[in-house]
Amino acid sequence: MALTSCALYGTVRPHRRRIWHQGAAMLPSVAEEELTNGTKEEEERVSATAVLEIPLSKLKAFSALPSQLHTLTQEITASLTSDLVAVMKTDLVDRIHRSRSLSNDSMDVRDRLRSLIQNLVRTKSLRESIADWRSVVLGEVQGVVRQHIPSFDPRDDPQKEQEFLDILRLVLKDLLNSIEGLQVLNSSIAEIIEGLRPPAVPSELTAIHDSLFDTLSSSAESANILTSRVISTRADQHVKLDLREFVDVFNECWNFVVRCEVICRRMIVGLRCVIVSQAKSFLQAFHQSRITQSSKLVEDEQWSQADVPVSLQQATNLILDAAVHDPHEYILKIEAAVAAPTSPLPTLSSLQPPSSSLPAPGSDSGPSSPRPSSPRTNPRANGTSPPPPKKHLRIEERSYYMVPATQEMLLLLTDYLKVIVNLSLLTTDTMSRIIEFLKAFNSRTCQVVLGVGAMRSAGLKNITAKHLALASQSLSIVIALIPYVRETFRRHLSQKQAVILVEFDKLKRDYQEHQNEIHTKLIAIMGGMFRLRSPA
C-alpha cells in the first residue's frame, strides 16, 4: 500500500512540474502585451493634451470670446460698484441727518457690503470702486454746506450774528456727522476685507486701506476749507463782536477743527488758520477799544474821590482769585453744537503759589507773585442785600482811595483776564496787550497830573496836592494788582513761555518810578505850603 502511494506520487509530481514550466513560459508574452497597451494609452493622452493646449481664440467660433468676457466683467464691475456706492451713500446720508443711533441698521448694512465687496474682490476692481466712492463723499460734504448756506457772497449775507451762529452750528454738526459716519464705514470695509477667505494679498490690502484713509482725510479737509470760506465772509463783523459772541464763534470752529484732526490723526490747516487769524484780529480791535476808553477816562478825570461800589470790590476780588484759579464768573458758559474733545494743545503748567506775603505798594523788594487769596463770596448769593458803597477799595489787608477813571480801568482790566480764560490760544498775545494797556494808563496819568494836562483836558484850574495824592493811590492800586495779574498769566503759560513774565516786573518798576515822581512833586508842594504859612 505504501509502495502504491509512492508510485502514484511519483507519477503526479512530474506532471505538475510541466504545468509550472508552461505558465512561466507564457509570462513574458503577457507582460509585453500589457506594456504595449500602456504605451498606446500614454500616446493617446499626450495627443489629447496637445490638442487642448491650442488657444480657443484661434478658433473662428471663439474668436470674439475674450472681448465679450472683458465687456461682461466690466458690466458686472460697474453694477457692483454702483450698488456698493449706493449702499454706502444711503448709510452716510442717514448718519448726517439722523441724530438717533444707527446700531440697528449697522448689521444690515454690513451684510450688504460684505457680499458686494466679495464679488468686487473676485473681479479685482475694489480699488477702483473705492476711488468712485471718494468723489461721491466729497460731493456730499459740499452738499451739506450748500443745504444751509446757498451763497458765500458777503453782500448776500444780511443775517444777524445770532442767526449766522445758529446756521454755523447746523453746518458744523452735519459736517462732523459726515466725517464720523465715513470713519465708521471705513472701519466696516476694512474688517470685511480682512475677513475674506482666501485672504487678500497684503500689498492690495494696504493699498485699499490707504485709499480709504485718503477719502476720510480729503473729506475732512474739504469740510474745513468750506467752513473757512463761510467764516471768512464774516471777518469784518467778527472783529466788532463783544467777547461772549466771539467766543461762541471761536469755540464752535475750534472744537470742529480739533475733532477732525483727532479723527484724521494729523493737523488740518484750512479752518484752523482762518479762525486763529480772526481771533488775533478780534483781540487787536478789542485791545484798541479799551486803550481808547482808558485814555479818554484819564483825560476827562477831575481827580476827585469816588465811593467804591460793592460790584467793583467784587471785581477786584476776582482779579486776586484769578491768581489761584479761573473764577467761575470769568468762564463764559456756551452750549457748543460740536463737543470739545481732549485738546492737543500744550498742557498748562500747574500753579505753585509762593509762601511769602505780598510786598507793600511802592516797595521793590519781595517776590513778583502774590500770596494766594481765598475765594470770595457774593452777598447776593446768600439772599442778603448788598452793603452800601465803601470809601476805600481793599486789596488783601490794604485800603486805597479811588477816582472814577481808575474804577473803570479795573473793569477793563478784567476783560483781558476773561480773554485768556476763554481763549487760551491767545494767552501770549493778550499778555503783550495787557502790558501795553497798563503802560498807557501809567503814561496818560503822568501826562495829565505831572504834565498838568488835566488843566487843558479836564478844565482844572491847577493841580493840587489832593490831585497828586489820588493819582498816587491809583498807581498804588495797579502796583498791588500787577503780581496777581502776573500769576494769572503764569498759570496759563507753559514753562518755556514763562520767561516773558519778566515784562510784568519791568512794568511794576515803571509804575513805582512814576509814583516816586508824584511823591517828589507832592513833597515840594507841601514844603512850599509849609514855608508860606510858617513865620519869617
Side-chain angles (χ1 to χ4, degrees), residues 161-178:
E161 187 58 33
Q162 187 57 47
E163 295 175 356
F164 172 78
L165 184 59
D166 292 339
I167 295 175
L168 178 64
R169 284 173 173 163
L170 292 175
V171 171
L172 295 179
K173 183 178 180 180
D174 287 351
L175 287 175
L176 186 63
N177 287 342
S178 68

Side-chain angles (χ1 to χ4, degrees), residues 450-470:
L450 292 179
V452 298
M455 297 176 63
R456 296 186 302 272
S457 61
L460 297 180
K461 295 181 179 180
N462 52 21
I463 302 298
T464 65
K466 178 183 177 182
H467 298 153
L468 293 172
L470 289 173

Side-chain angles (χ1 to χ4, degrees), residues 301-346:
E301 180 58 55
Q302 297 292 321
W303 298 102
S304 57
Q305 181 186 352
D307 291 338
V308 179
V310 175
S311 59
L312 182 64
Q313 182 64 61
Q314 292 174 350
T316 305
N317 294 341
L318 291 176
I319 296 176
L320 306 185
D321 292 339
V324 180
H325 63 90
D326 293 338
H328 178 74
E329 292 80 359
Y330 285 2
I331 302 174
L332 303 179
K333 291 185 176 180
I334 299 167
E335 295 295 333
V338 178
T342 303
S343 176
L345 297 177

Side-chain angles (χ1 to χ4, degrees), residues 405-446:
T406 307
Q407 293 180 348
E408 295 297 328
M409 184 274 296
L410 290 182
L411 296 179
L412 296 176
L413 179 64
T414 61
D415 291 342
Y416 287 92
L417 301 182
K418 291 178 182 178
V419 170
I420 66 171
V421 170
N422 295 279
L423 299 173
S424 58
L425 191 71
L426 300 177
T427 299
T428 55
D429 298 276
T430 305
M431 179 180 148
S432 62
R433 301 303 195 285
I434 200 172
I435 289 176
E436 184 179 348
F437 172 79
L438 294 176
K439 282 184 177 180
F441 178 78
N442 183 28
S443 175
R444 205 63 183 160
T445 302
C446 181

Side-chain angles (χ1 to χ4, degrees), residues 84-93 96 129-146 174-175 177-183 185-186 189 211-223 226:
L84 178 68
V85 170
V87 170
M88 292 194 294
K89 180 179 178 180
T90 301
D91 185 71
L92 181 62
V93 171
I96 292 175
S129 301
I130 298 298
D132 293 344
W133 167 239
R134 181 180 185 275
S135 60
V136 173
V137 171
L138 296 180
E140 287 298 318
V141 170
Q142 294 177 358
V144 168
V145 179
R146 291 195 185 98
D174 287 351
L175 287 175
N177 287 342
S178 68
I179 296 171
E180 291 178 341
L182 183 59
Q183 184 185 29
L185 282 173
N186 285 357
I189 294 173
S211 181
L212 291 173
F213 184 76
D214 177 69
T215 301
L216 178 64
S217 299
S218 298
S219 63
E221 287 181 354
S222 178
L226 292 172

